Amino acid sequence: MTENALPAAELYTDEFAVDPYPAFAKLRTDSPVCPVSSPRFDSFLITRFDDAKAALMDPRLSKDLYGPGQHFLRIFGPNSEGLNKNMLNSDPPEHSRLRQITSRAFAPRRLEALRPRIAEIVAGLLDKVVPQGHADLMRDFAIPLPMMVIGELLGIPEKDRQRVLDWTQVIRESGSSGRPPAEEKARVQEAQAWLHGYLTELVAAKRVEPDDAMVSILIAACDEEGVLSERELVSTAFLLLFAGHQTTADFIGNATLALLTNPEQLDLLVKTPDLLPQAIEELLRFDGPLPVASPRIATEEVEYQGVRIPAGSIVGVVINSANHDPAQFEDPDRLDVCRERGTHLGFGHGVHYCLGVSLARMEAQIGIGELLRRLPGLQLGVPPEELRRLPAASPFRGLIELPVRFTA
C-alpha cells in the first residue's frame, strides 16, 4: 500500500456511521481513487460516478476471490468459502452459467405471481402494529418482510424462518454488539457454520420431498441437468437468502428514515402516491443499503484518475459516493422524490447488475406505500442522532432499530 494511504480508522468514524456523505464528497474532490489501510485488509476506494461505472464493468477487476491469493478467506474467514462460491464472487464464463441458472427464480411470471402474497405479508405485519401507535420499524416490519418473502421463494419452512433470520442478523450486525473483536469474529464464524449446515440439510430434505420453490429448482439443475455442483447449490441458496432479505430490509429502513427527516418529501409522497415508483429510485440513490460494492481484485495493474492500482489489490467501488456525485446529479445531497429517474448505481452495473432488482422494487413499493398509507402522522420516536446503526465500517448501511410513533 502507498505511503499516503488513509487509515481506515480516520474514515470509518462515529460521524461517518451517521452521515458518510461529507466524507465521500471530500474523497471525490481530494482523492477520488483513495488507498485505505486497515488491520483487516488494504484497498483502493473509487468514489466518482464515471470511474465507478467504468470499474464495475472493468474485466481487469475480478470478482473471483478464490484465485491463487485466496483473498476471500483472508478477508472473511475459513467458514465463508462454503457459502460464497456463487455468481456474486465469480467472473464469466462461470458467472454467466451460475446467473442463468439462478435467474429462473426471478422469471417475470414467477415474480408477478408473488405480488398478492407480498401485499398479504405487508398487511399482516402492519395489522400487528397499527393499533399500538408506536413500533420499531426494523424489528416489526423492515426485517421480517423480505425474510418472509425470500423464505417462500426459496422454500424455507415457516417454522425455520425465525432461526434463519436470527443467524443472518449475527452476520449483518457484526461489530455492533460491543464484544471484543476475537469474540465477534467467532460469533460470525458460528453463524456461517450454522447457515451452511442448515442449507445443506434443507437441500437433503427437498431431494426427498421436492416442491416448486427455488431450492428444488437448483437441485434439479444439480442432479438432473448436471450444470451445478453441490457446493454451488448450497452457496447459491445462501446468496439468494442473504441478498434477498438483507439489502431490502436495510433499504426500507433507510428510505423510511430519509422520508421522516425530510418531512416535506414525506408529505408530498403521502398526498401523491403515484410518485412512489420514481421515489423508490430516488431513495435508493439518496441512501442505499450497500455503500461499497462487494470486493474486486485487480488481476493486473490498472489506473484510474492517474492513480496506479497494483495487481493483486482489493478495489472497492463506492456506490453511495458515486450516487452523490454532483457531476452526475444536480444538488445530489437533496432528497427529491420528483427527481427524474436517472442512472444511479444502487443496483450495480454491468454483468453483476442485481438479479433481484424487480423483486426488490416490488417489495419496496408495496411495503413503503402501505407503511405511509396505514400509519398516519408517522414520525421518529427518538432524535435522529440517538438511532442505533450498523458500524461505520460495515459492508452494509442500515439501522439496528427505527422507533416511530403514529396515530393509532
Side-chain angles (χ1 to χ4, degrees):
M1 185 59 69
T2 59
E3 292 182 2
N4 61 343
L6 175 67
E10 293 185 13
L11 177 62
Y12 299 121
T13 62
D14 291 342
E15 292 77 15
F16 182 94
V18 175
D19 183 6
Y21 296 102
F24 289 156
K26 182 173 175 58
L27 288 179
R28 284 194 306 270
T29 300
D30 298 344
S31 184
V33 180
C34 181
V36 175
S37 63
S38 76
R40 194 177 179 198
F41 61 89
D42 297 336
S43 63
F44 287 81
L45 299 183
I46 294 177
T47 58
R48 290 181 181 172
F49 184 91
D50 287 344
D51 294 331
K53 187 175 180 179
L56 291 172
M57 295 191 298
D58 194 334
R60 301 170 299 174
L61 299 180
S62 169
K63 292 291 268 99
D64 183 3
L65 299 171
Y66 293 96
Q70 291 289 288
H71 296 283
F72 209 104
L73 299 184
R74 181 160 52 90
I75 297 171
F76 298 109
N79 286 349
S80 64
E81 187 170 10
L83 294 173
N84 289 293
K85 186 61 176 174
N86 49 49
M87 65 179 181
L88 180 65
N89 301 306
S90 60
D91 299 324
E94 286 297 288
H95 170 269
S96 306
R97 173 179 62 85
L98 294 169
R99 187 179 177 99
Q100 184 178 27
I101 297 166
T102 311
S103 65
R104 300 173 190 178
F106 299 98
R109 181 178 298 178
R110 176 182 286 267
L111 291 186
E112 197 55 37
L114 270 176
R115 184 179 294 275
R117 178 58 183 143
I118 293 173
E120 185 180 3
I121 292 171
V122 167
L125 291 170
L126 290 179
D127 285 346
K128 295 177 181 178
V129 302
V130 162
Q132 299 175 5
H134 62 87
D136 174 357
L137 284 184
M138 293 306 297
R139 180 196 64 207
D140 299 331
F141 187 75
I143 291 174
L145 166 59
M147 173 54 76
M148 294 170 76
V149 173
I150 200 64
E152 295 198 4
L153 189 67
L154 284 172
I156 296 174
E158 187 173 353
K159 64 180 178 61
D160 295 341
R161 290 175 196 165
Q162 186 59 52
R163 284 189 303 153
V164 171
L165 178 59
D166 291 343
W167 284 110
T168 60
Q169 291 307 295
V170 170
I171 299 174
R172 172 182 178 261
E173 296 183 11
S174 174
S176 65
S177 67
R179 296 187 182 94
E183 185 179 329
E184 187 81 347
K185 184 177 180 179
R187 181 74 169 153
V188 170
Q189 294 285 303
E190 183 183 10
Q192 291 172 338
W194 189 92
L195 288 165
H196 184 271
Y198 174 79
L199 291 171
T200 301
E201 292 175 3
L202 181 65
V203 167
K206 296 292 184 182
R207 279 198 168 101
V208 176
E209 296 184 22
D211 53 26
D212 62 352
M214 188 58 197
V215 169
S216 292
I217 294 174
L218 294 175
I219 291 170
C222 177
D223 296 354
E224 300 170 19
E225 302 171 45
V227 292
L228 196 68
S229 71
E230 190 76 13
R231 177 182 168 192
E232 290 169 339
L233 194 170
V234 173
S235 180
T236 298
F238 173 75
L239 174 63
L240 292 172
L241 167 66
F242 203 80
H245 89 272
Q246 166 72 60
T247 51
T248 302
D250 283 334
F251 171 59
I252 291 173
N254 292 353
T256 304
L257 177 60
L259 291 169
L260 292 175
T261 51
N262 290 270
E264 75 292 343
Q265 297 296 298
L266 172 63
D267 186 57
L268 179 59
L269 196 53
V270 168
K271 292 178 179 176
T272 320
D274 288 348
L275 289 173
L276 193 57
Q278 71 191 70
I280 294 298
E281 302 303 314
E282 169 66 355
L283 288 161
L284 182 61
R285 180 204 69 81
F286 185 74
D287 198 16
L290 198 66
V292 183
S294 53
R296 285 159 165 77
I297 304 295
T299 57
E300 60 184 79
E301 183 180 280
V302 297
E303 185 173 314
Y304 281 84
Q305 293 290 334
V307 176
R308 289 185 296 175
I309 301 175
S313 298
I314 298 172
V315 177
V317 181
V318 189
I319 301 295
N320 282 9
S321 174
N323 282 340
H324 279 247
D325 189 341
Q328 180 69 19
F329 302 98
E330 182 179 353
D331 197 5
D333 295 330
R334 179 173 63 90
L335 178 67
D336 179 6
V337 297
C338 296
R339 190 185 295 270
E340 289 294 324
R341 180 172 170 173
T343 304
H344 64 74
L345 299 178
F347 289 115
H349 189 68
V351 298
H352 286 279
Y353 185 76
C354 177
L355 185 60
V357 58
S358 296
L359 179 61
R361 283 178 171 140
M362 187 186 299
E363 289 182 72
Q365 288 180 21
I366 296 172
I368 293 174
E370 286 300 288
L371 200 67
L372 300 184
R373 186 180 72 85
R374 296 193 60 188
L375 304 185
L378 187 63
Q379 58 184 295
L380 279 174
V382 299
E385 61 272 16
E386 293 183 13
L387 291 170
R388 293 177 59 222
R389 299 173 178 271
L390 298 179
S394 171
F396 312 109
R397 176 158 171 78
L399 297 159
I400 294 176
E401 59 186 12
L402 181 55
V404 296
R405 298 191 305 270
F406 48 87
T407 303

